[in-house]
Amino acid sequence: MLLSGPEQSHAMPTRRSLLQGWLAASAAGISGISVGMFAPILSAQPIKRDITPSCGSDDEPTRSSTEGPFYSNQPPEKSDFRGDADGDPVTLIGFVLTRDCQPISGAIVDLWHANRDGEYDNRGFRLRGYQKTDADGRYFFETIRPAEYGSRTPHYHVKVRNGDDRVLTTQLYFPGEARNARDFLFNPALLMDIQKASDGDIARFDFILA
């Protein structure tokens, strides 16, 4: 049940309600909107908006980054990692877009990361999996917040494939982490947009492919 009036303004939305609002809209409508703006549109209609600031002919594609030593080949197709490990819940959402802001459907988004203790599952596929973008170029994962380890700040690893041999390999970072500045791989261009929800965080990152 949606709240109205003063009660709505003070109620923090859940990750599920934010996700539902985002899924109700289209890539053309909201690709440039921060996740923080989804709270008042839990029953969203597509919003007309100018070209998203994250893509365009004058902007660079998403920056690549090293794969790291912990990638596992042939991960399973799955978007829900919540049963793989305990930890603070995060819903990771976004679009895969061309440089002229067109959604790419059927792109493979492959995600893997450490658990809350900074450890990777190198024998199985916990906290590992991929999914394909929908007709509007959207993807989402239900997962947890990874921990820092060694010299590394908390981060997600991602590979994005667009149906050919070209692969974008990169890493995503959390804003406000003290260790970001000391991580030799950290790139502020790869910061996610984080919105607090009543039951965790919702993180947004759009991938722009060359």
Side-chain angles (χ1 to χ4, degrees):
M1 175 179 176
L2 294 177
L3 300 176
S4 60
E7 289 182 339
Q8 183 182 34
S9 63
H10 291 92
M12 181 176 287
T14 65
R15 289 180 299 117
R16 181 180 179 86
S17 63
L18 288 169
L19 180 61
Q20 287 175 335
W22 177 73
L23 289 172
S26 69
I30 62 169
S31 58
I33 296 179
S34 163
V35 295
M37 298 177 69
F38 288 122
I41 55 167
L42 303 186
S43 298
Q45 297 296 320
I47 298 172
K48 299 301 181 184
R49 188 171 174 85
D50 293 334
I51 191 169
T52 168
S54 63
C55 60
S57 59
D58 295 331
D59 296 306
E60 296 180 357
T62 300
R63 303 287 181 86
S64 63
S65 186
T66 181
E67 177 183 291
F70 302 120
Y71 181 67
S72 294
N73 289 311
Q74 299 181 325
E77 183 173 2
K78 70 177 182 181
S79 59
D80 191 348
F81 295 3
R82 292 289 294 125
D84 291 351
D86 294 330
D88 295 333
V90 177
T91 300
L92 173 61
I93 67 173
F95 291 98
V96 178
L97 303 166
T98 64
R99 289 182 69 183
D100 58 353
C101 303
Q102 296 303 305
I104 300 175
S105 64
I108 293 175
V109 182
D110 185 351
L111 176 72
W112 73 102
H113 60 86
N115 62 18
R116 67 178 182 180
D117 298 316
E119 299 171 340
Y120 290 82
D121 176 17
N122 294 313
R123 296 185 177 182
F125 292 99
R126 290 190 298 273
L127 302 177
R128 300 174 183 272
Y130 77 90
Q131 63 169 266
K132 295 181 180 179
T133 56
D134 67 10
D136 286 316
R138 291 174 292 202
Y139 73 90
F140 73 92
F141 291 92
E142 295 285 3
T143 189
I144 64 168
R145 185 183 181 96
E148 61 186 37
Y149 60 88
S151 62
R152 299 305 319 278
T153 194
H155 61 281
Y156 294 130
H157 291 271
V158 186
K159 287 181 181 286
V160 184
R161 298 177 175 86
N162 184 21
D164 54 28
D165 293 334
R166 292 177 297 174
V167 180
L168 167 67
T169 301
T170 194
Q171 301 184 31
L172 305 181
Y173 298 99
F174 293 81
E177 288 288 333
R179 192 169 286 206
N180 284 348
R182 303 194 300 272
D183 188 321
F184 70 106
L185 290 174
F186 172 73
N187 186 333
L190 299 173
L191 282 168
M192 295 176 287
D193 182 8
I194 304 291
Q195 166 74 14
K196 293 292 184 183
S198 62
D199 56 351
D201 291 342
I202 187 161
R204 168 80 178 274
F205 193 90
D206 295 344
F207 296 100
I208 313 302
L209 303 187

